[in-house]
Amino acid sequence: MSDVLLAISNLHKTFDTANGPVQALYNVDLQVKEGEFITVIGPSGCGKSTLLRIVAGLDNGYSGEVTLEGARIGGPGIDKGFIFQEHRLFPWLTVEKNIASDLPLRNKEIRCKVDELIELVKLSGFEKAYPRELSGGMAQRVAIARALLRSPKILLLDEPFGALDAFTRAHMQQVLLDVWRTNQTTMVFVTHDIDEAVFLGERVVILEPRPGKIRKIVPVDLPYPRRKASVSFQEIRLKVMNYFEKVEELELTDGAGI
């Protein structure tokens, strides 16, 4: 691909444990184009979160190559945004100050960008609210806006909607797609939910466990917005599920969560 943003080549990751070394990732090869939305799915312990942490520059203890725009990722930086399952907002700061973080809102450019992001994630009217006054979905929208403030080249999302109820989750999926289409930010989204993976992703990357490696990459050739009840959606969902069920047969129950 000539427009590759993220390139992962021959990636191996091993953890040292009390019971000996555990290989979390094995020979992972993946290329993500600029502006692409990739979803990553797999059972617990297959290395999904580890893969995201390596791309984010939070874990450099691996072998292989991981590059962003051709440059090896050597650590965290503003070019990579990260969204966790928990919103991790500062409870003593308002919505607008959480988004601005350490940047001054009195700066006209920052003020304008924060206002634009608040509108983008549909939180207008809640600028002065504190995290305790927000629902789980609203808090995650603040976290997404905060991650977008510095215009990262790639946004990494580690099961960000996993703790939300079904209705809120569906709404947040649509909010995220709106953000993606508006900002054209490259996104890599980790989930354990097959419907979510197919609904969001242009490609679904299926990982198998121990050692974690890519079993299959399934293209989702469906236009947006997608209807989960449509025949074409269900056909792709079934294809992903068939691969995923084969992966589950390989899953080891011990040491989940790496």
Side-chain angles (χ1 to χ4, degrees):
M1 304 177 194
S2 59
D3 53 351
V4 169
L5 177 72
L6 172 68
I8 301 171
S9 178
N10 195 29
L11 173 62
H12 297 258
K13 170 65 183 180
T14 300
F15 287 99
D16 292 322
T17 73
N19 296 319
V22 174
Q23 188 157 23
L25 295 170
Y26 174 79
N27 197 31
V28 175
D29 289 291
L30 179 64
Q31 292 184 323
V32 181
K33 295 187 293 183
E34 186 173 1
E36 193 174 13
F37 199 134
I38 295 292
T39 52
V40 181
I41 190 167
S44 296
C46 72
K48 301 186 300 293
S49 295
T50 299
L51 179 62
L52 275 199
R53 288 179 58 83
I54 289 172
V55 174
L58 299 173
D59 187 339
N60 293 315
Y62 63 87
S63 63
E65 280 293 321
V66 183
T67 62
L68 192 67
E69 289 191 323
R72 183 179 174 88
I73 296 175
I78 61 173
D79 55 346
K80 299 175 289 294
F82 203 112
I83 306 293
F84 300 90
Q85 184 170 338
E86 309 84 16
H87 56 74
R88 301 194 179 185
L89 301 181
F90 299 114
W92 58 87
L93 296 181
T94 62
V95 164
E96 60 184 9
K97 289 182 179 179
N98 260 292
I99 295 173
S101 193
D102 59 338
L103 300 177
L105 278 170
R106 62 180 177 274
N107 180 292
K108 186 176 181 180
E109 184 178 349
I110 300 301
R111 173 82 264 176
C112 184
K113 186 69 180 292
V114 168
D115 290 343
E116 288 175 357
L117 287 169
I118 286 174
E119 184 176 355
L120 180 62
V121 298
K122 299 177 174 58
L123 281 174
S124 297
F126 291 90
E127 296 88 343
K128 307 296 183 182
Y130 288 89
R132 65 179 179 273
E133 300 170 317
L134 305 176
S135 67
M138 294 169 73
Q140 278 296 53
R141 279 184 266 166
V142 178
I144 291 170
R146 180 171 62 184
L148 291 171
L149 181 65
R150 290 171 169 83
S151 301
K153 296 172 184 174
I154 189 168
L155 188 61
L156 308 166
L157 304 103
D158 192 4
E159 299 194 46
F161 309 148
L164 304 179
D165 64 80
F167 292 104
T168 304
R169 187 173 191 147
H171 175 67
M172 287 300 300
Q173 290 167 357
Q174 196 55 60
V175 168
L176 186 63
L177 286 174
D178 291 343
V179 169
W180 173 59
R181 284 193 291 260
T182 300
N183 280 30
Q184 298 182 336
T185 303
T186 307
M187 296 196 182
V188 179
F189 185 105
V190 160
T191 181
H192 62 270
D193 186 285
I194 293 174
D195 281 14
E196 185 168 67
V198 176
F199 184 74
L200 294 175
E202 294 179 287
R203 290 188 291 155
V204 178
V205 179
I206 304 170
L207 292 182
E208 65 180 56
R210 298 287 160 68
K213 57 184 177 181
I214 295 176
R215 182 175 185 87
K216 188 71 175 179
I217 299 177
V218 179
V220 185
D221 297 321
L222 297 175
Y224 296 95
R226 293 171 177 169
R227 293 179 58 251
K228 294 179 182 178
S230 69
V231 173
S232 54
F233 184 96
Q234 291 301 320
E235 287 175 346
I236 295 176
R237 180 186 182 277
L238 181 60
K239 183 185 296 186
V240 173
M241 181 173 288
N242 285 337
Y243 283 114
F244 191 71
E245 286 178 345
K246 293 175 184 177
V247 165
E248 285 187 319
E249 294 173 3
L250 302 173
E251 182 177 6
L252 301 180
T253 58
D254 60 322
I258 288 182

